[in-house]
Amino acid sequence: GFSNYGYNISLCAPGVNILSTWDGSPNYYTSLSGTSMASPCAAGAAAIVKSHFPSYNAQQVAQRLIATADNIDSKNPSYINMLGGGRINLYRAVTAPVVHSVSMTYDSITDNNDNIFVLGDTLRIRGIFTNFLDSVANLNVTLSSASPYVTILNNAAALGTMPSMGTANNNGNPFTVKISSSSPVNQSVVFELTFTDGSYTYHQFFSVLINVD
C-alpha cells in the first residue's frame, strides 16, 4: 500500500518486515516496512554491481539490475507491466554470463504538420535506441497499443546488430499511427515497444496525448 506502481517504474525491491538497525530498540535491531527499507536494498545492490563491473557507467548498473530481476507480475495480477523489470535478484545480477538491455532512449513524434495531434492525423514515431549491455545480433522492435482510438500502420523496425553502448534509429522507416475519428478529447494512448533478439524479450511503454483540445 505504501509503494508506487505504473509504466514509469523500473525496478522493485523488498520493503516489508526488513530487519535493520534502529536507534534505541532492543538490541538496536527491529523490523521495518516502507520505501525507506526498499531504497537501501536497491542502492546496496547497485553498489555491489558497480564493484563487480567497475567499467560500467550508472545507466549500465541500473540496466543490469533491471534485466536480471525476477518478474513478479504473476504474483501481482492487478499490476501487470507496472512493476518494471520485477524484484531485484542480486545473485543473477553479478553471475549471469550474458545480459541484454536495449531501450528507446529518445523519441520524436510528429504529424508532418503542426504537431498538434488531432482526429485523422498520422503520427510518425522515430526513436534512438541504446544497447546498454551485451551485444545483440538481430534486434527487432514492434509497436503495439490496446487503445481503440489509434490504428498502427507501420509497427516494425529492424535494428539488426548493436554493440554494447551502441545506438540505432528508425528515422528512415518510422512507426506510423493514425488517430481515429472517434477519439475522445485529450485521450492518453499507451503504446508498447517489444524488443526481441532470439530468447531476449523486453517491453517498454510510453504514452501520447491525442485529440488535444
Side-chain angles (χ1 to χ4, degrees):
F2 51 73
S3 295
N4 294 323
Y5 61 90
Y7 294 121
N8 60 316
I9 298 298
S10 300
L11 192 64
C12 298
V16 177
N17 295 330
I18 304 299
L19 186 66
S20 180
T21 54
W22 189 254
D23 183 28
S25 66
N27 300 318
Y28 302 101
Y29 283 88
T30 191
S31 290
L32 299 167
S33 297
T35 54
S36 292
M37 307 314 297
S39 176
C41 287
I48 292 172
V49 168
K50 174 64 176 175
S51 175
H52 202 72
F53 301 96
S55 65
Y56 275 9
N57 62 33
Q59 288 179 311
Q60 289 176 298
V61 169
Q63 292 300 321
R64 191 171 182 97
L65 287 172
I66 294 167
T68 58
D70 295 328
N71 187 296
I72 54 174
D73 281 358
S74 64
K75 299 179 182 297
N76 301 274
S78 297
Y79 305 97
I80 290 176
N81 293 324
M82 297 184 185
L83 301 173
R87 182 183 56 227
I88 283 177
N89 184 328
L90 180 57
Y91 180 77
R92 286 182 59 199
V94 298
T95 61
V98 176
V99 179
H100 299 302
S101 178
V102 185
S103 61
M104 183 169 67
T105 50
Y106 173 81
D107 67 71
S108 169
I109 306 175
T110 64
D111 63 3
N112 277 10
N113 185 14
D114 55 10
N115 294 332
I116 300 172
F117 307 145
V118 295
L119 306 182
D121 278 354
T122 297
L123 307 184
R124 292 156 180 83
I125 302 175
R126 298 173 173 88
I128 294 176
F129 304 89
T130 302
N131 178 26
F132 292 99
L133 299 175
D134 293 309
S135 62
V136 292
N138 187 29
L139 186 71
N140 291 284
V141 187
T142 57
L143 179 75
S144 60
S145 177
S147 172
Y149 303 118
V150 294
T151 300
I152 298 178
L153 306 177
N154 177 35
N155 72 335
L159 302 184
T161 300
M162 295 177 66
S164 178
M165 293 309 297
T167 61
N169 64 70
N170 67 332
N171 290 345
N173 185 33
F175 303 118
T176 52
V177 179
K178 186 167 185 178
I179 300 175
S180 167
S181 60
S182 63
S183 173
V185 172
N186 295 329
Q187 177 69 32
S188 180
V189 174
V190 175
F191 291 97
E192 177 180 0
L193 292 172
T194 301
F195 298 79
T196 57
D197 178 26
S199 61
Y200 169 63
T201 301
Y202 174 68
H203 304 276
Q204 182 179 3
F205 297 85
F206 65 97
S207 61
V208 178
L209 190 68
I210 64 171
N211 196 18
V212 294
D213 63 14

